[in-house]
Amino acid sequence: MSPRAPDRLRLGVNIDHVATIRNARGGAHPEPLRAAEAAIAAGADGITAHLREDRRHISDRDIDALNELCRRLDRPLNFEMAVTDEMLAIALSHKPHAACLVPERREERTTEGGLDVARGHNTVAPVVKALREAGVRVSLFIEANPIQIAVAEAMGAQVVELHTGAYCDAVKAGDGVAAARWLGQLKDGAEEAARRGLEVHAGHGIDFDSVAAVAAIPQVAELNIGHFLIGEAIFIGLPSAISRMRTLMDEARGA
Ligand code: PXP
């Protein structure tokens, strides 16, 4: 049996899409910093933000402000980044609590699929090493696949974040057979990663309908959730959306 994560599952709130709305008008409202403060007040354990190469949502100034806020409030900032020299330099200048390496293509709408760390070993491994040497905890956003997990461990990453997108899409489509298959892969992947001593996170596409099954995987220590929470905030407010998600996570964990 692989080790369990602590019973209290952490919730990282991804605030990228607050910046998406702000940027639609080019002004300052709504401010991701204010959303981060509200998220923390509502029970987020940490803040996640993805500085994309094309700066389509989060900006460099947002990262400055979020890093400062998270340090002041003693909450982790999880800096999602592509594996590029530019992003590595930014991460090393800020030294956030954690960096999560993600695949990035300009034409994609969102992060589609996990980072292929097996194929990209020679590019990813030096970035993992440089971040670790700077004291940044390194997470790799990968598919729940045994080869990817083994390579992540060999590279010295401390965390793997398992891509939940396919499972969540199947839940949204009402395809129980596909959902069960993808969930099985996530469970096996979480067990394998924990057996190898990696901390296990999960994220992408999670909503109120898909969170419970992922949260119930005992090895998972943290969920990172963004788009659904920011969208749901339009209807019920950000604090209520976060607190409902928190309740569903705690219930699934039997806490
Ligand atoms: N985790 C990672 C590594 C991501 O890239 C994203 C999307 O930016 C998320 C979690 C959050 O996904 P969503 O916005 O679909 O909840």
Side-chain angles (χ1 to χ4, degrees):
M1 272 295 279
S2 57
R4 291 174 59 92
D7 277 340
R8 190 177 185 284
L9 186 57
R10 294 193 304 271
L11 171 61
V13 173
N14 181 318
I15 51 154
D16 292 349
H17 297 299
V18 177
T20 304
I21 300 170
R22 174 197 60 192
N23 296 356
R25 285 295 171 95
H29 183 81
E31 254 198 3
L33 188 70
R34 187 170 157 205
E37 284 178 303
I40 290 169
D45 298 288
I47 297 298
T48 294
H50 184 174
L51 183 67
R52 291 188 75 103
E53 287 184 272
D54 62 8
R55 308 299 197 270
R56 70 175 70 157
H57 39 56
I58 292 291
S59 68
D60 298 68
R61 284 182 57 189
D62 292 328
I63 293 294
D64 293 343
L66 291 167
N67 202 33
E68 204 274 316
L69 175 80
C70 287
R71 280 186 197 284
R72 184 159 48 80
L73 299 182
D74 198 21
R75 294 299 164 112
L77 173 65
N78 177 27
F79 177 67
E80 288 181 0
M81 54 177 273
V83 185
T84 64
D85 291 343
E86 183 201 11
M87 287 302 145
L88 178 61
I90 294 171
L92 293 178
S93 73
H94 285 86
K95 294 194 180 58
H97 169 82
C100 180
L101 306 187
V102 302
E104 202 175 294
R105 284 182 294 120
R106 276 179 195 244
E107 64 277 15
E108 71 190 355
R109 275 201 214 156
T110 179
T111 315
E112 291 162 5
L115 187 64
D116 188 345
V117 292
R119 187 173 295 176
H121 178 279
N122 294 350
T123 334
V124 179
V127 174
V128 172
K129 183 165 178 285
L131 289 167
R132 282 206 60 169
E133 282 172 2
V136 178
R137 190 194 66 184
V138 181
S139 170
L140 299 177
F141 188 43
I142 58 172
E143 300 293 331
N145 165 302
I147 294 170
Q148 300 292 336
I149 293 165
V151 175
E153 184 205 3
M155 273 181 190
Q158 296 111 311
V159 179
V160 285
E161 180 161 331
L162 302 181
H163 197 300
T164 53
Y167 167 68
C168 295
D169 284 347
V171 171
K172 284 180 196 109
D175 185 343
V177 175
R181 194 177 68 240
W182 290 117
L183 186 62
Q185 281 194 18
L186 289 168
K187 287 179 178 171
D188 291 348
E191 185 155 350
E192 172 67 5
R195 196 183 60 73
R196 289 179 176 276
L198 294 159
E199 183 169 310
V200 184
H201 298 178
H204 208 277
I206 294 176
D207 63 14
F208 289 157
D209 296 324
S210 49
V211 68
V214 180
I217 300 173
Q219 295 84 9
V220 174
E222 178 176 309
L223 299 184
N224 284 301
I225 309 179
H227 184 267
F228 175 80
L229 287 173
I230 304 306
E232 191 63 10
I234 294 168
F235 305 108
I236 64 174
L238 189 57
S240 299
I242 290 172
S243 112
R244 173 92 188 116
M245 192 63 86
R246 177 80 262 162
T247 302
L248 292 168
M249 287 164 60
D250 290 342
E251 284 173 2
R253 210 54 177 233

